[in-house]
Amino acid sequence: MRRSIRWSRGAAAVGTVALVAAAVTSVQPAGAVPAAQAGCQAASFGATPALGWLALTAPRTVTVTSSQFIKAEVTADVGVDAGAELRLGWAINGSAPFEGTFGPANFANHQEFFETRSTFALISVGAGTTTVQPFVRLIGASAKRATVLHRCSSAEGNTS
């Protein structure tokens, strides 16, 4: 008798786990970001002071129905030489990058090892379509260098 009770409890537990797993896998993310609004790049690139502004990721496009703030986010693995700093700017609708206008401008300083850096910007936009793109530039002596690895960006706004 004990054996059948144990099996019944075990079967019930397995059935419950299967039901929960089915429910979890069928639920979609509440705030899924469309492909045009988010993406990542795995290729690395180097920056020197002489190169100026470099695109950190591809542009992201957001279409909103009313004037509002959109949230643009960026993250990357970055290594910076001692005595240098990687600055962040945002280009809006193809403009030159604005540094420190929409959020933090200091994206990365020297650390002993590469570190993941993340930040966001709040950008005031009107109704319609807006394109945002993060850029970085290295400041420091001419021989200084930064390396940017795996990086992602997204832009989100209230579309309803």
Side-chain angles (χ1 to χ4, degrees), residues 29 60 133-134 148:
R60 306 296 173 211
Q133 185 174 18
V148 178

Side-chain angles (χ1 to χ4, degrees), residues 44-146:
S44 65
F45 69 87
T48 65
L51 293 175
W53 288 107
L54 301 169
L56 187 58
T57 68
R60 306 296 173 211
T61 302
V62 179
T63 302
V64 296
T65 56
S66 62
S67 295
Q68 62 182 269
F69 283 99
I70 60 171
K71 182 179 182 184
E73 296 182 86
V74 66
T75 187
D77 293 332
V78 182
V80 179
D81 286 351
E85 179 182 340
L86 196 64
R87 305 291 290 176
L88 176 67
W90 294 91
I92 312 302
N93 296 324
S95 70
F98 291 94
E99 181 180 325
T101 302
F102 307 113
N106 178 2
F107 192 58
N109 291 326
H110 173 73
Q111 298 293 326
E112 185 177 358
F113 302 103
F114 276 69
E115 269 188 27
T116 300
R117 315 304 173 103
S118 298
T119 193
F120 68 91
L122 294 176
I123 302 167
S124 180
V125 301
T129 301
T130 300
T131 301
V132 299
Q133 185 174 18
F135 282 79
V136 292
R137 69 182 179 102
L138 188 67
I139 58 173
S142 62
K144 299 298 179 179
R145 184 172 172 83

